[in-house]
Amino acid sequence: MSFTRRQLEMLGSVLKRTRDFEYDCDDVLGKLAEYLETSADETVELNRELLLTQAHLEICPECQEELEALEAACEAVEKPEE
């Protein structure tokens, strides 16, 4: 199997962002509601768990989609269609 230069650059970029301890998708999905609520308030500092959640969201498109779906659902509840 061979990789293109672009694929290798992307892999290198992801590897640079890894940490000794990271959350996986299951961990993040369990924290999405808390993350969404807390990150909306810019005066609140994220705790360790939410920072790990944020780091995972930066590299995981699937969890980003879940966050976007949760955001859309929350907006729909807050502003119901008339």
Side-chain angles (χ1 to χ4, degrees):
M1 173 184 256
S2 62
F3 296 98
T4 67
R5 180 174 183 82
R6 176 73 179 133
Q7 289 171 320
L8 290 172
E9 288 171 353
M10 289 176 63
L11 178 60
S13 174
V14 170
L15 289 174
K16 285 179 186 177
R17 292 184 279 176
T18 59
R19 295 173 169 76
D20 290 336
F21 179 79
E22 294 185 344
Y23 271 4
D24 62 18
C25 294
D26 288 335
D27 296 323
V28 169
L29 293 176
K31 289 288 183 184
L32 277 185
E34 181 182 357
Y35 175 79
L36 183 59
E37 184 178 332
T38 304
S39 64
D41 185 349
E42 295 178 7
T43 64
V44 175
E45 188 172 325
L46 298 179
N47 63 30
R48 180 177 184 273
E49 292 176 337
L50 296 180
L51 288 171
L52 289 168
T53 299
Q54 184 176 52
H56 180 86
L57 286 166
E58 291 173 0
I59 62 170
C60 182
E62 291 84 9
C63 287
Q64 290 170 11
E65 287 179 16
E66 292 294 329
L67 178 61
E68 290 167 5
L70 181 59
E71 288 172 329
C74 289
E75 288 175 11
V77 169
E78 291 172 1
K79 299 177 186 175
E81 292 182 29
E82 295 180 31

